[in-house]
Amino acid sequence: MELQFEQTFFDTMNRLRYYLKMPMIHGRNGSRKAMAKGASVEFSDYREYQLGDDIRRVDWNAYGRFEKLYIKEYMEEKEALFHLFLDTSASMEFGNKKKSDLALYITAGLSYLILNNLDRAQVYKIADGGQVKGKKHGGRGKFSEVLQELKETEFGGKTDLASSLRASDLTKGGISIVISDFLDMHSMETAIQYLKYKKQEVIFICIWAKEEEQIASYGDVEFLDMETKERLKVTITRKEVEAYQERLHRYQKQLEQVCKKYDVAFIKVYSHEPFDEVLLKTLYKSQLL
């Protein structure tokens, strides 16, 4: 798919900065506050001198007041590492406006924002219980490389969220953004538990097509499962449509409740919505902006 962006998109993204709830644990020097103490210019705290400490970090004014040696500590600045998990299973191809198209644009837009803020982005394409891991990109000039990775994306296969995420073998600390239709409730909680174990700040972006909620046809209909290719012939009446919509509503509530339980930001969007509006909605609802 050819991903094209208007200049207004770049103008908007260049004005945005995001806020991370957690300090970074590791990584290369950057603009994010780390839990480790380092040698940056931002003062953090004092501690008593220990044998082997650098004598140049002794605060002699404090020694004059307390007659004890104290060391100045500074907050080390680290870059944030964003893991962008893109669901490439066959169900993402559904909709008159395909869920996959919006998913690619969201992934690209977030990547640009991340790189523009001098952090690092890594895209994982997940399906069939596995994943294709992209390179770790850092720096404003790497956006074209991310676009090239996304242009080569192929959608197909089944969804197994938990297995796909575990295959990523994340190091602890970072931000994980999962972009999917989340039709795999069976493994969703296990997936969240894995990400939380890896000390991730987690954001789920759920994309649905409006056709999944609005059944317009009645009578004899044949359904096709896009992932298993199984076919099911049914007779649809108004009663069946109402029952389907009620079950769908309960399923969505389940998704939201599981995310709330683990302090995961859950943002639902529709594939027909304009990409730039979706991106801003995602950032605000996840409290990243």
Side-chain angles (χ1 to χ4, degrees), residues 221-251:
V221 178
E222 183 178 70
F223 287 100
L224 171 66
D225 187 315
M226 297 188 68
E227 295 190 358
T228 66
K229 304 305 179 183
E230 295 180 11
R231 295 180 180 271
L232 178 65
K233 292 182 178 181
V234 296
T235 300
I236 298 179
T237 65
R238 184 175 298 276
K239 184 177 180 180
E240 274 76 35
V241 170
E242 291 174 353
Y244 168 79
Q245 290 176 335
E246 174 60 28
R247 186 170 181 179
L248 199 64
H249 178 73
R250 290 201 306 269
Y251 182 79

PDB file of all heavy atoms in Angstrom, residues 221-251:
ATOM      1  N   VAL A 221     -28.317 -15.563   4.255  1.00  0.00           N
ATOM      2  CA  VAL A 221     -27.003 -14.926   4.054  1.00  0.00           C
ATOM      3  C   VAL A 221     -25.911 -15.957   4.326  1.00  0.00           C
ATOM      4  O   VAL A 221     -26.050 -16.812   5.209  1.00  0.00           O
ATOM      5  CB  VAL A 221     -26.817 -13.715   5.005  1.00  0.00           C
ATOM      6  CG1 VAL A 221     -25.433 -13.098   4.828  1.00  0.00           C
ATOM      7  CG2 VAL A 221     -27.884 -12.664   4.744  1.00  0.00           C
ATOM      8  N   GLU A 222     -24.833 -15.887   3.576  1.00  0.00           N
ATOM      9  CA  GLU A 222     -23.667 -16.743   3.815  1.00  0.00           C
ATOM     10  C   GLU A 222     -22.523 -15.883   4.345  1.00  0.00           C
ATOM     11  O   GLU A 222     -22.126 -14.898   3.721  1.00  0.00           O
ATOM     12  CB  GLU A 222     -23.238 -17.452   2.527  1.00  0.00           C
ATOM     13  CG  GLU A 222     -22.068 -18.413   2.748  1.00  0.00           C
ATOM     14  CD  GLU A 222     -21.669 -19.162   1.491  1.00  0.00           C
ATOM     15  OE1 GLU A 222     -21.127 -18.517   0.568  1.00  0.00           O
ATOM     16  OE2 GLU A 222     -21.898 -20.383   1.421  1.00  0.00           O
ATOM     17  N   PHE A 223     -21.998 -16.256   5.510  1.00  0.00           N
ATOM     18  CA  PHE A 223     -20.871 -15.546   6.110  1.00  0.00           C
ATOM     19  C   PHE A 223     -19.574 -16.294   5.829  1.00  0.00           C
ATOM     20  O   PHE A 223     -19.551 -17.535   5.806  1.00  0.00           O
ATOM     21  CB  PHE A 223     -21.055 -15.422   7.628  1.00  0.00           C
ATOM     22  CG  PHE A 223     -22.105 -14.421   8.024  1.00  0.00           C
ATOM     23  CD1 PHE A 223     -23.385 -14.847   8.374  1.00  0.00           C
ATOM     24  CD2 PHE A 223     -21.822 -13.067   8.051  1.00  0.00           C
ATOM     25  CE1 PHE A 223     -24.362 -13.937   8.734  1.00  0.00           C
ATOM     26  CE2 PHE A 223     -22.793 -12.153   8.404  1.00  0.00           C
ATOM     27  CZ  PHE A 223     -24.061 -12.585   8.752  1.00  0.00           C
ATOM     28  N   LEU A 224     -18.499 -15.521   5.633  1.00  0.00           N
ATOM     29  CA  LEU A 224     -17.175 -16.094   5.403  1.00  0.00           C
ATOM     30  C   LEU A 224     -16.235 -15.624   6.496  1.00  0.00           C
ATOM     31  O   LEU A 224     -16.083 -14.417   6.716  1.00  0.00           O
ATOM     32  CB  LEU A 224     -16.626 -15.656   4.036  1.00  0.00           C
ATOM     33  CG  LEU A 224     -15.159 -15.991   3.744  1.00  0.00           C
ATOM     34  CD1 LEU A 224     -14.961 -17.500   3.650  1.00  0.00           C
ATOM     35  CD2 LEU A 224     -14.689 -15.299   2.463  1.00  0.00           C
ATOM     36  N   ASP A 225     -15.613 -16.569   7.207  1.00  0.00           N
ATOM     37  CA  ASP A 225     -14.592 -16.233   8.190  1.00  0.00           C
ATOM     38  C   ASP A 225     -13.310 -15.915   7.435  1.00  0.00           C
ATOM     39  O   ASP A 225     -12.734 -16.780   6.768  1.00  0.00           O
ATOM     40  CB  ASP A 225     -14.370 -17.415   9.145  1.00  0.00           C
ATOM     41  CG  ASP A 225     -13.438 -17.071  10.311  1.00  0.00           C
ATOM     42  OD1 ASP A 225     -12.385 -16.433  10.065  1.00  0.00           O
ATOM     43  OD2 ASP A 225     -13.751 -17.441  11.452  1.00  0.00           O
ATOM     44  N   MET A 226     -12.839 -14.685   7.525  1.00  0.00           N
ATOM     45  CA  MET A 226     -11.698 -14.247   6.727  1.00  0.00           C
ATOM     46  C   MET A 226     -10.401 -14.930   7.135  1.00  0.00           C
ATOM     47  O   MET A 226      -9.460 -14.994   6.347  1.00  0.00           O
ATOM     48  CB  MET A 226     -11.549 -12.724   6.815  1.00  0.00           C
ATOM     49  CG  MET A 226     -12.739 -11.975   6.241  1.00  0.00           C
ATOM     50  SD  MET A 226     -12.466 -10.199   6.121  1.00  0.00           S
ATOM     51  CE  MET A 226     -11.197 -10.120   4.854  1.00  0.00           C
ATOM     52  N   GLU A 227     -10.333 -15.423   8.368  1.00  0.00           N
ATOM     53  CA  GLU A 227      -9.096 -16.041   8.833  1.00  0.00           C
ATOM     54  C   GLU A 227      -9.074 -17.554   8.605  1.00  0.00           C
ATOM     55  O   GLU A 227      -8.061 -18.118   8.203  1.00  0.00           O
ATOM     56  CB  GLU A 227      -8.878 -15.714  10.311  1.00  0.00           C
ATOM     57  CG  GLU A 227      -8.660 -14.225  10.557  1.00  0.00           C
ATOM     58  CD  GLU A 227      -8.195 -13.923  11.969  1.00  0.00           C
ATOM     59  OE1 GLU A 227      -8.081 -14.852  12.780  1.00  0.00           O
ATOM     60  OE2 GLU A 227      -7.947 -12.730  12.258  1.00  0.00           O
ATOM     61  N   THR A 228     -10.218 -18.236   8.859  1.00  0.00           N
ATOM     62  CA  THR A 228     -10.253 -19.697   8.703  1.00  0.00           C
ATOM     63  C   THR A 228     -10.826 -20.125   7.352  1.00  0.00           C
ATOM     64  O   THR A 228     -10.710 -21.290   6.966  1.00  0.00           O
ATOM     65  CB  THR A 228     -11.107 -20.328   9.812  1.00  0.00           C
ATOM     66  OG1 THR A 228     -12.477 -19.913   9.651  1.00  0.00           O
ATOM     67  CG2 THR A 228     -10.608 -19.903  11.181  1.00  0.00           C
ATOM     68  N   LYS A 229     -11.474 -19.177   6.636  1.00  0.00           N
ATOM     69  CA  LYS A 229     -12.132 -19.434   5.347  1.00  0.00           C
ATOM     70  C   LYS A 229     -13.357 -20.337   5.489  1.00  0.00           C
ATOM     71  O   LYS A 229     -13.879 -20.833   4.470  1.00  0.00           O
ATOM     72  CB  LYS A 229     -11.146 -20.036   4.330  1.00  0.00           C
ATOM     73  CG  LYS A 229      -9.893 -19.185   4.088  1.00  0.00           C
ATOM     74  CD  LYS A 229     -10.249 -17.774   3.667  1.00  0.00           C
ATOM     75  CE  LYS A 229      -8.997 -16.922   3.443  1.00  0.00           C
ATOM     76  NZ  LYS A 229      -9.325 -15.523   3.097  1.00  0.00           N
ATOM     77  N   GLU A 230     -13.820 -20.533   6.709  1.00  0.00           N
ATOM     78  CA  GLU A 230     -15.039 -21.316   6.908  1.00  0.00           C
ATOM     79  C   GLU A 230     -16.253 -20.498   6.483  1.00  0.00           C
ATOM     80  O   GLU A 230     -16.292 -19.284   6.636  1.00  0.00           O
ATOM     81  CB  GLU A 230     -15.176 -21.711   8.385  1.00  0.00           C
ATOM     82  CG  GLU A 230     -14.092 -22.654   8.870  1.00  0.00           C
ATOM     83  CD  GLU A 230     -14.271 -23.015  10.334  1.00  0.00           C
ATOM     84  OE1 GLU A 230     -15.342 -22.702  10.888  1.00  0.00           O
ATOM     85  OE2 GLU A 230     -13.348 -23.603  10.902  1.00  0.00           O
ATOM     86  N   ARG A 231     -17.277 -21.194   5.948  1.00  0.00           N
ATOM     87  CA  ARG A 231     -18.504 -20.543   5.505  1.00  0.00           C
ATOM     88  C   ARG A 231     -19.678 -21.000   6.362  1.00  0.00           C
ATOM     89  O   ARG A 231     -19.754 -22.159   6.767  1.00  0.00           O
ATOM     90  CB  ARG A 231     -18.782 -20.843   4.029  1.00  0.00           C
ATOM     91  CG  ARG A 231     -17.720 -20.258   3.104  1.00  0.00           C
ATOM     92  CD  ARG A 231     -18.010 -20.572   1.651  1.00  0.00           C
ATOM     93  NE  ARG A 231     -16.984 -20.012   0.781  1.00  0.00           N
ATOM     94  CZ  ARG A 231     -17.022 -18.796   0.264  1.00  0.00           C
ATOM     95  NH1 ARG A 231     -18.055 -18.008   0.538  1.00  0.00           N
ATOM     96  NH2 ARG A 231     -16.051 -18.354  -0.520  1.00  0.00           N
ATOM     97  N   LEU A 232     -20.584 -20.079   6.629  1.00  0.00           N
ATOM     98  CA  LEU A 232     -21.744 -20.377   7.458  1.00  0.00           C
ATOM     99  C   LEU A 232     -22.984 -19.750   6.843  1.00  0.00           C
ATOM    100  O   LEU A 232     -23.046 -18.534   6.647  1.00  0.00           O
ATOM    101  CB  LEU A 232     -21.539 -19.833   8.885  1.00  0.00           C
ATOM    102  CG  LEU A 232     -22.695 -20.042   9.860  1.00  0.00           C
ATOM    103  CD1 LEU A 232     -22.891 -21.536  10.127  1.00  0.00           C
ATOM    104  CD2 LEU A 232     -22.426 -19.288  11.151  1.00  0.00           C
ATOM    105  N   LYS A 233     -23.974 -20.589   6.524  1.00  0.00           N
ATOM    106  CA  LYS A 233     -25.223 -20.105   5.962  1.00  0.00           C
ATOM    107  C   LYS A 233     -26.243 -19.944   7.086  1.00  0.00           C
ATOM    108  O   LYS A 233     -26.478 -20.870   7.860  1.00  0.00           O
ATOM    109  CB  LYS A 233     -25.750 -21.080   4.909  1.00  0.00           C
ATOM    110  CG  LYS A 233     -24.882 -21.157   3.649  1.00  0.00           C
ATOM    111  CD  LYS A 233     -25.477 -22.093   2.614  1.00  0.00           C
ATOM    112  CE  LYS A 233     -24.627 -22.124   1.351  1.00  0.00           C
ATOM    113  NZ  LYS A 233     -25.216 -23.033   0.319  1.00  0.00           N
ATOM    114  N   VAL A 234     -26.844 -18.749   7.174  1.00  0.00           N
ATOM    115  CA  VAL A 234     -27.835 -18.478   8.211  1.00  0.00           C
ATOM    116  C   VAL A 234     -28.976 -17.666   7.612  1.00  0.00           C
ATOM    117  O   VAL A 234     -28.831 -17.041   6.562  1.00  0.00           O
ATOM    118  CB  VAL A 234     -27.219 -17.690   9.395  1.00  0.00           C
ATOM    119  CG1 VAL A 234     -26.151 -18.492  10.099  1.00  0.00           C
ATOM    120  CG2 VAL A 234     -26.665 -16.356   8.917  1.00  0.00           C
ATOM    121  N   THR A 235     -30.107 -17.714   8.326  1.00  0.00           N
ATOM    122  CA  THR A 235     -31.239 -16.863   7.981  1.00  0.00           C
ATOM    123  C   THR A 235     -31.331 -15.756   9.014  1.00  0.00           C
ATOM    124  O   THR A 235     -31.466 -16.025  10.212  1.00  0.00           O
ATOM    125  CB  THR A 235     -32.549 -17.669   7.954  1.00  0.00           C
ATOM    126  OG1 THR A 235     -32.443 -18.717   6.976  1.00  0.00           O
ATOM    127  CG2 THR A 235     -33.723 -16.770   7.603  1.00  0.00           C
ATOM    128  N   ILE A 236     -31.215 -14.507   8.553  1.00  0.00           N
ATOM    129  CA  ILE A 236     -31.156 -13.367   9.460  1.00  0.00           C
ATOM    130  C   ILE A 236     -32.516 -12.689   9.546  1.00  0.00           C
ATOM    131  O   ILE A 236     -33.119 -12.339   8.522  1.00  0.00           O
ATOM    132  CB  ILE A 236     -30.097 -12.340   8.999  1.00  0.00           C
ATOM    133  CG1 ILE A 236     -28.704 -12.975   9.011  1.00  0.00           C
ATOM    134  CG2 ILE A 236     -30.111 -11.112   9.896  1.00  0.00           C
ATOM    135  CD1 ILE A 236     -27.612 -12.043   8.551  1.00  0.00           C
ATOM    136  N   THR A 237     -32.983 -12.527  10.783  1.00  0.00           N
ATOM    137  CA  THR A 237     -34.184 -11.759  11.055  1.00  0.00           C
ATOM    138  C   THR A 237     -33.810 -10.583  11.958  1.00  0.00           C
ATOM    139  O   THR A 237     -32.674 -10.497  12.434  1.00  0.00           O
ATOM    140  CB  THR A 237     -35.243 -12.618  11.760  1.00  0.00           C
ATOM    141  OG1 THR A 237     -34.748 -12.988  13.058  1.00  0.00           O
ATOM    142  CG2 THR A 237     -35.557 -13.881  10.966  1.00  0.00           C
ATOM    143  N   ARG A 238     -34.750  -9.698  12.185  1.00  0.00           N
ATOM    144  CA  ARG A 238     -34.481  -8.566  13.063  1.00  0.00           C
ATOM    145  C   ARG A 238     -34.071  -9.034  14.462  1.00  0.00           C
ATOM    146  O   ARG A 238     -33.217  -8.438  15.102  1.00  0.00           O
ATOM    147  CB  ARG A 238     -35.707  -7.654  13.145  1.00  0.00           C
ATOM    148  CG  ARG A 238     -35.484  -6.389  13.976  1.00  0.00           C
ATOM    149  CD  ARG A 238     -36.702  -5.493  13.900  1.00  0.00           C
ATOM    150  NE  ARG A 238     -36.948  -5.048  12.540  1.00  0.00           N
ATOM    151  CZ  ARG A 238     -36.334  -4.002  11.982  1.00  0.00           C
ATOM    152  NH1 ARG A 238     -35.418  -3.321  12.657  1.00  0.00           N
ATOM    153  NH2 ARG A 238     -36.633  -3.638  10.747  1.00  0.00           N
ATOM    154  N   LYS A 239     -34.692 -10.121  14.925  1.00  0.00           N
ATOM    155  CA  LYS A 239     -34.381 -10.663  16.247  1.00  0.00           C
ATOM    156  C   LYS A 239     -32.921 -11.099  16.329  1.00  0.00           C
ATOM    157  O   LYS A 239     -32.235 -10.840  17.326  1.00  0.00           O
ATOM    158  CB  LYS A 239     -35.298 -11.838  16.560  1.00  0.00           C
ATOM    159  CG  LYS A 239     -35.124 -12.406  17.959  1.00  0.00           C
ATOM    160  CD  LYS A 239     -36.117 -13.531  18.226  1.00  0.00           C
ATOM    161  CE  LYS A 239     -35.925 -14.096  19.631  1.00  0.00           C
ATOM    162  NZ  LYS A 239     -36.900 -15.198  19.897  1.00  0.00           N
ATOM    163  N   GLU A 240     -32.443 -11.770  15.273  1.00  0.00           N
ATOM    164  CA  GLU A 240     -31.038 -12.208  15.259  1.00  0.00           C
ATOM    165  C   GLU A 240     -30.088 -11.005  15.239  1.00  0.00           C
ATOM    166  O   GLU A 240     -29.035 -11.021  15.873  1.00  0.00           O
ATOM    167  CB  GLU A 240     -30.767 -13.099  14.044  1.00  0.00           C
ATOM    168  CG  GLU A 240     -31.075 -14.567  14.228  1.00  0.00           C
ATOM    169  CD  GLU A 240     -32.571 -14.830  14.183  1.00  0.00           C
ATOM    170  OE1 GLU A 240     -33.269 -14.136  13.424  1.00  0.00           O
ATOM    171  OE2 GLU A 240     -33.030 -15.740  14.909  1.00  0.00           O
ATOM    172  N   VAL A 241     -30.448  -9.983  14.492  1.00  0.00           N
ATOM    173  CA  VAL A 241     -29.602  -8.780  14.431  1.00  0.00           C
ATOM    174  C   VAL A 241     -29.510  -8.132  15.806  1.00  0.00           C
ATOM    175  O   VAL A 241     -28.418  -7.744  16.257  1.00  0.00           O
ATOM    176  CB  VAL A 241     -30.152  -7.768  13.403  1.00  0.00           C
ATOM    177  CG1 VAL A 241     -29.414  -6.430  13.520  1.00  0.00           C
ATOM    178  CG2 VAL A 241     -30.006  -8.328  11.995  1.00  0.00           C
ATOM    179  N   GLU A 242     -30.624  -8.019  16.501  1.00  0.00           N
ATOM    180  CA  GLU A 242     -30.620  -7.426  17.837  1.00  0.00           C
ATOM    181  C   GLU A 242     -29.793  -8.260  18.811  1.00  0.00           C
ATOM    182  O   GLU A 242     -29.052  -7.718  19.636  1.00  0.00           O
ATOM    183  CB  GLU A 242     -32.059  -7.282  18.344  1.00  0.00           C
ATOM    184  CG  GLU A 242     -32.861  -6.227  17.588  1.00  0.00           C
ATOM    185  CD  GLU A 242     -34.315  -6.202  18.000  1.00  0.00           C
ATOM    186  OE1 GLU A 242     -34.731  -7.099  18.782  1.00  0.00           O
ATOM    187  OE2 GLU A 242     -35.054  -5.295  17.556  1.00  0.00           O
ATOM    188  N   ALA A 243     -29.906  -9.580  18.715  1.00  0.00           N
ATOM    189  CA  ALA A 243     -29.120 -10.461  19.588  1.00  0.00           C
ATOM    190  C   ALA A 243     -27.620 -10.321  19.290  1.00  0.00           C
ATOM    191  O   ALA A 243     -26.783 -10.296  20.203  1.00  0.00           O
ATOM    192  CB  ALA A 243     -29.564 -11.911  19.394  1.00  0.00           C
ATOM    193  N   TYR A 244     -27.288 -10.230  17.990  1.00  0.00           N
ATOM    194  CA  TYR A 244     -25.886 -10.049  17.595  1.00  0.00           C
ATOM    195  C   TYR A 244     -25.322  -8.741  18.136  1.00  0.00           C
ATOM    196  O   TYR A 244     -24.215  -8.702  18.687  1.00  0.00           O
ATOM    197  CB  TYR A 244     -25.786 -10.083  16.072  1.00  0.00           C
ATOM    198  CG  TYR A 244     -24.450  -9.629  15.526  1.00  0.00           C
ATOM    199  CD1 TYR A 244     -23.345 -10.476  15.537  1.00  0.00           C
ATOM    200  CD2 TYR A 244     -24.292  -8.337  15.019  1.00  0.00           C
ATOM    201  CE1 TYR A 244     -22.116 -10.056  15.046  1.00  0.00           C
ATOM    202  CE2 TYR A 244     -23.068  -7.910  14.522  1.00  0.00           C
ATOM    203  CZ  TYR A 244     -21.986  -8.774  14.541  1.00  0.00           C
ATOM    204  OH  TYR A 244     -20.764  -8.344  14.058  1.00  0.00           O
ATOM    205  N   GLN A 245     -26.070  -7.663  17.989  1.00  0.00           N
ATOM    206  CA  GLN A 245     -25.593  -6.360  18.446  1.00  0.00           C
ATOM    207  C   GLN A 245     -25.444  -6.322  19.968  1.00  0.00           C
ATOM    208  O   GLN A 245     -24.512  -5.697  20.485  1.00  0.00           O
ATOM    209  CB  GLN A 245     -26.534  -5.265  17.949  1.00  0.00           C
ATOM    210  CG  GLN A 245     -26.448  -5.059  16.443  1.00  0.00           C
ATOM    211  CD  GLN A 245     -27.446  -4.051  15.920  1.00  0.00           C
ATOM    212  OE1 GLN A 245     -28.496  -3.818  16.528  1.00  0.00           O
ATOM    213  NE2 GLN A 245     -27.152  -3.454  14.770  1.00  0.00           N
ATOM    214  N   GLU A 246     -26.348  -7.000  20.674  1.00  0.00           N
ATOM    215  CA  GLU A 246     -26.241  -7.061  22.127  1.00  0.00           C
ATOM    216  C   GLU A 246     -24.986  -7.832  22.540  1.00  0.00           C
ATOM    217  O   GLU A 246     -24.255  -7.428  23.448  1.00  0.00           O
ATOM    218  CB  GLU A 246     -27.485  -7.738  22.708  1.00  0.00           C
ATOM    219  CG  GLU A 246     -27.425  -7.989  24.215  1.00  0.00           C
ATOM    220  CD  GLU A 246     -27.269  -6.715  25.034  1.00  0.00           C
ATOM    221  OE1 GLU A 246     -27.713  -5.641  24.567  1.00  0.00           O
ATOM    222  OE2 GLU A 246     -26.691  -6.789  26.143  1.00  0.00           O
ATOM    223  N   ARG A 247     -24.718  -8.934  21.871  1.00  0.00           N
ATOM    224  CA  ARG A 247     -23.518  -9.717  22.182  1.00  0.00           C
ATOM    225  C   ARG A 247     -22.249  -8.933  21.841  1.00  0.00           C
ATOM    226  O   ARG A 247     -21.263  -8.984  22.574  1.00  0.00           O
ATOM    227  CB  ARG A 247     -23.544 -11.030  21.397  1.00  0.00           C
ATOM    228  CG  ARG A 247     -22.422 -11.984  21.765  1.00  0.00           C
ATOM    229  CD  ARG A 247     -22.617 -13.346  21.152  1.00  0.00           C
ATOM    230  NE  ARG A 247     -21.543 -14.249  21.531  1.00  0.00           N
ATOM    231  CZ  ARG A 247     -21.478 -15.520  21.135  1.00  0.00           C
ATOM    232  NH1 ARG A 247     -22.436 -16.014  20.377  1.00  0.00           N
ATOM    233  NH2 ARG A 247     -20.458 -16.272  21.504  1.00  0.00           N
ATOM    234  N   LEU A 248     -22.296  -8.196  20.743  1.00  0.00           N
ATOM    235  CA  LEU A 248     -21.151  -7.379  20.349  1.00  0.00           C
ATOM    236  C   LEU A 248     -20.891  -6.289  21.388  1.00  0.00           C
ATOM    237  O   LEU A 248     -19.735  -5.985  21.725  1.00  0.00           O
ATOM    238  CB  LEU A 248     -21.418  -6.755  18.978  1.00  0.00           C
ATOM    239  CG  LEU A 248     -20.210  -6.236  18.188  1.00  0.00           C
ATOM    240  CD1 LEU A 248     -19.283  -7.374  17.823  1.00  0.00           C
ATOM    241  CD2 LEU A 248     -20.682  -5.526  16.924  1.00  0.00           C
ATOM    242  N   HIS A 249     -21.966  -5.686  21.888  1.00  0.00           N
ATOM    243  CA  HIS A 249     -21.844  -4.659  22.919  1.00  0.00           C
ATOM    244  C   HIS A 249     -21.207  -5.237  24.182  1.00  0.00           C
ATOM    245  O   HIS A 249     -20.332  -4.603  24.791  1.00  0.00           O
ATOM    246  CB  HIS A 249     -23.220  -4.083  23.234  1.00  0.00           C
ATOM    247  CG  HIS A 249     -23.216  -3.053  24.320  1.00  0.00           C
ATOM    248  ND1 HIS A 249     -22.715  -1.785  24.154  1.00  0.00           N
ATOM    249  CD2 HIS A 249     -23.637  -3.109  25.621  1.00  0.00           C
ATOM    250  CE1 HIS A 249     -22.830  -1.107  25.275  1.00  0.00           C
ATOM    251  NE2 HIS A 249     -23.394  -1.881  26.172  1.00  0.00           N
ATOM    252  N   ARG A 250     -21.622  -6.443  24.581  1.00  0.00           N
ATOM    253  CA  ARG A 250     -21.037  -7.089  25.766  1.00  0.00           C
ATOM    254  C   ARG A 250     -19.558  -7.384  25.544  1.00  0.00           C
ATOM    255  O   ARG A 250     -18.739  -7.241  26.463  1.00  0.00           O
ATOM    256  CB  ARG A 250     -21.783  -8.378  26.096  1.00  0.00           C
ATOM    257  CG  ARG A 250     -23.203  -8.183  26.622  1.00  0.00           C
ATOM    258  CD  ARG A 250     -23.676  -9.416  27.387  1.00  0.00           C
ATOM    259  NE  ARG A 250     -23.558 -10.626  26.601  1.00  0.00           N
ATOM    260  CZ  ARG A 250     -24.520 -11.105  25.817  1.00  0.00           C
ATOM    261  NH1 ARG A 250     -25.675 -10.448  25.696  1.00  0.00           N
ATOM    262  NH2 ARG A 250     -24.344 -12.226  25.140  1.00  0.00           N
ATOM    263  N   TYR A 251     -19.230  -7.809  24.330  1.00  0.00           N
ATOM    264  CA  TYR A 251     -17.826  -8.107  24.021  1.00  0.00           C
ATOM    265  C   TYR A 251     -16.968  -6.854  24.150  1.00  0.00           C
ATOM    266  O   TYR A 251     -15.865  -6.893  24.714  1.00  0.00           O
ATOM    267  CB  TYR A 251     -17.718  -8.673  22.605  1.00  0.00           C
ATOM    268  CG  TYR A 251     -16.311  -9.052  22.203  1.00  0.00           C
ATOM    269  CD1 TYR A 251     -15.748 -10.243  22.633  1.00  0.00           C
ATOM    270  CD2 TYR A 251     -15.542  -8.205  21.401  1.00  0.00           C
ATOM    271  CE1 TYR A 251     -14.455 -10.591  22.275  1.00  0.00           C
ATOM    272  CE2 TYR A 251     -14.252  -8.545  21.038  1.00  0.00           C
ATOM    273  CZ  TYR A 251     -13.716  -9.743  21.478  1.00  0.00           C
ATOM    274  OH  TYR A 251     -12.434 -10.071  21.135  1.00  0.00           O
TER     275      TYR A 251
END
